[in-house]
Amino acid sequence: MELYVTPGDELPLYRQIVRQITDAIAGTRLKPGDRLPSHRDLAAQLVIAPLTVKKAYDELEQGKLIETQRGRGTFVRQELPRMRARETRDRLRGTAQRLLSQAALSGVPFADVLDLLEELREGMQS
Amino acid sequence: MNVLEFDGICRAYTTGVNVLDGVSFGVERGQVVGLLGKNGAGKTTLIRIAMGMLEPQQGHVRVLGLDPRRDAVEVKRRVGYVSEEQILPPFLTVGRIVALHRRLYPTWDDEMAGGLMERFELPAGTRVKNLSKGQARRVALLCAVAHRPELLLLDEPASGLDPAARREFLEMSIQLLNETGTSILFSSHYMTDVERLADRIVMIHDSGVLLDNGLDELHEGFSLAMVPRTNGMSHERILGLPHCIGVRERPGAYHAILRLAPFEAETEVQDGLGTAEAHCQAIALEDMFVELVGGRS
């Protein structure tokens, strides 16, 4: 799997790595049991600081997407968490945050935001 | 113990005008710190103080727990140093310079030196005076790292190099980080290089440390707020916001940097200034630099 990171992007480098590996697992370009390069090798390959890759791996490990087996390397986990739900949630977060901040700035109470969502959902169903 | 420790460093050139006035920060083992600041902010002065080439008028510096002036030889053996205007003896050949360095450093790694000679395509028989600027810098870099230093101090190591040569330099630094666990303090005006190599940023401005944060914190915990220049809005009012660290007047709007993620910043600006017109967003390192040190004071 090829990764490509862009310094100067709005997303910090470690998040770019997290996102790309997450996408690769979601899109099955990376399968359970696949081996990832060591964080040092990946750092050399991407020409970024090893600590940055380490941070990305730590985050992926926390999200239970990958695991490090002592002395053997880092692998995509055999049993993945409910990937799609997780990923969707991450993506929705940004949109939801913008919605909430707009509501807050316009003085719309949270209950009204929920009503609005409910209304929209009913609209979608009918 | 930190591999490098600046404690209350003061240094003036003209009496009464401190270039550095009470600068304190440390570098942990294995950490890579990017030292940012405008030209003349004192980055070079600070690095020279760490090398023992200058003495602070107040404050203390510790390098690997040692005093760089009293323990000069040991510090130089365990530290690598490259500066922008480093001068290599012009009539010596590359091979001779490398051989001289080899004798000075007990920990010199022939394999690494040979590998870099090859990777940098350095002509061993050529005299320094006949090298291009890029080649000369590569020789200086090789000599600074082939003894596998515990700490690398780099003062604008890539200035004037083309993008390919800068990338080589980054690759070499990462090799050193990977294999030796070297700690690095480097100054640079190339923000993409800084983002690639650094995990922490120290920004020097107005003789002091303006920012000292993880690179990712700068990305995710800081924002730019653009506040329209309406009646009653002022520089001082915005600077009075609890998390505001800098304001710049731009045509049409004030640009403020807040130590908050964009969503939280929006709330603070809204509540603190009573305007719903302000827009807050994440900010790239280069823009953060310009906003904080460009056109303040």
Side-chain angles (χ1 to χ4, degrees):
Chain A
M1 185 204 40
E2 282 299 308
L3 297 179
Y4 184 82
V5 294
T6 323
D9 191 90
E10 189 181 300
L11 272 189
L13 293 174
Y14 88 95
R15 282 222 181 275
Q16 294 181 37
I17 297 172
V18 167
R19 183 165 285 186
Q20 286 179 37
I21 292 182
T22 306
D23 286 352
I25 295 175
T28 67
R29 266 180 301 141
L30 275 175
K31 294 181 191 58
D34 279 357
R35 191 198 180 123
L36 295 170
S38 75
H39 79 273
R40 293 181 199 282
D41 285 348
L42 188 55
Q45 186 190 318
L46 297 174
V47 196
I48 60 174
L51 273 180
T52 304
V53 181
K54 178 85 169 43
K55 187 166 180 180
Y57 277 18
D58 285 349
E59 183 130 328
L60 288 161
E61 214 156 315
Q62 256 181 1
K64 303 211 180 309
L65 291 178
I66 64 172
E67 62 188 343
T68 300
Q69 294 171 14
R70 214 164 248 286
R72 290 194 55 220
T74 304
F75 301 87
V76 178
R77 279 178 75 119
Q78 288 296 345
E79 280 179 34
L80 292 168
R82 276 171 300 140
M83 181 64 195
R84 203 150 284 175
R86 239 191 89 82
E87 225 207 343
T88 314
R89 204 184 164 80
D90 280 352
R91 298 245 154 103
L92 283 178
R93 185 179 292 274
T95 318
Q97 207 153 62
R98 275 195 295 280
L99 173 69
L100 282 178
S101 50
Q102 270 190 5
L105 287 172
S106 321
V108 176
F110 184 65
D112 290 5
V113 177
L114 286 178
D115 282 350
L116 177 69
L117 286 174
E118 191 65 39
E119 192 185 307
L120 288 171
R121 190 174 66 135
E122 280 164 18
M124 274 171 71
Q125 282 166 347
S126 59
Chain B
M1 185 197 68
N2 284 340
V3 289
L4 176 60
E5 191 77 56
F6 293 110
D7 180 16
I9 299 290
C10 296
R11 174 78 206 192
Y13 287 109
T14 319
T15 317
V17 185
N18 278 352
V19 179
L20 300 172
D21 192 359
V23 169
S24 302
F25 68 93
V27 178
E28 289 168 32
R29 192 166 289 276
Q31 210 172 39
V32 186
V33 178
L35 186 60
L36 305 186
K38 279 204 284 201
N39 293 327
K43 304 183 296 292
T44 297
T45 304
L46 201 56
I47 290 176
R48 287 194 175 158
I49 286 172
M51 281 305 291
M53 297 156 77
L54 279 174
E55 202 161 16
Q57 282 136 347
Q58 276 181 57
H60 301 279
V61 60
R62 279 282 174 281
V63 178
L64 305 166
L66 303 166
D67 178 334
R69 283 178 89 83
R70 213 186 45 216
D71 313 304
V73 174
E74 189 177 352
V75 164
K76 287 195 173 68
R77 277 195 173 150
R78 293 166 63 187
V79 174
Y81 169 69
V82 177
S83 80
E84 190 182 1
E85 66 248 27
Q86 203 158 29
I87 296 161
L88 297 166
F91 291 100
L92 292 187
T93 63
V94 173
R96 183 94 184 102
I97 287 178
V98 172
L100 282 173
H101 276 81
R102 185 177 184 275
R103 253 195 283 160
L104 289 174
Y105 295 106
T107 56
W108 190 264
D109 183 337
D110 280 323
E111 202 179 315
M112 184 175 189
L116 289 174
M117 281 291 280
E118 231 169 87
R119 193 200 296 177
F120 289 170
E121 296 174 342
L122 291 174
T126 305
R127 289 179 203 282
V128 166
K129 67 182 174 74
N130 295 324
L131 294 176
S132 71
K133 183 177 181 174
Q135 282 176 315
R137 194 71 60 81
R138 287 183 178 91
V139 175
L141 279 170
L142 185 156
C143 293
V145 302
H147 61 294
R148 296 195 176 272
E150 291 165 64
L151 172 67
L152 195 53
L153 297 169
L154 304 170
D155 186 10
E156 292 280 345
S159 71
L161 299 188
D162 65 50
R166 270 166 46 213
R167 190 59 65 87
E168 268 174 12
F169 148 71
L170 286 173
E171 284 173 354
M172 184 207 69
S173 305
I174 286 157
Q175 181 191 349
L176 205 61
L177 282 170
N178 268 339
E179 294 174 357
T180 314
T182 300
S183 315
I184 302 180
L185 175 70
F186 76 111
S187 69
S188 176
H189 290 312
Y190 295 104
M191 295 300 153
T192 54
D193 289 4
V194 173
E195 292 206 39
R196 280 186 185 277
L197 198 56
D199 38 74
R200 187 172 136 217
I201 300 295
V202 172
M203 199 183 285
I204 304 226
H205 188 61
D206 284 345
S207 331
V209 175
L210 176 65
L211 269 188
D212 180 353
N213 287 91
L215 183 61
D216 300 323
E217 276 177 84
L218 292 182
H219 267 287
E220 300 181 314
F222 284 70
S223 25
L224 168 69
M226 285 166 283
V227 185
R229 299 175 66 128
T230 48
N231 275 343
M233 195 58 69
S234 71
H235 197 109
E236 290 67 32
R237 269 190 75 197
I238 302 173
L239 207 51
L241 292 173
H243 293 91
C244 182
I245 56 168
V247 180
R248 215 157 72 102
E249 291 176 38
R250 304 293 298 154
Y254 292 97
H255 284 192
I257 300 289
L258 282 85
R259 269 180 201 275
L260 289 172
F263 174 60
E264 301 161 315
E266 209 142 307
T267 309
E268 180 164 305
V269 171
Q270 153 89 358
D271 293 353
L273 302 173
T275 173
E277 309 281 295
H279 174 67
C280 297
Q281 61 176 68
I283 181 168
L285 187 59
E286 179 153 327
D287 294 327
M288 176 102 75
F289 182 90
V290 174
E291 293 294 347
L292 284 176
V293 308
R296 243 169 50 117
S297 69

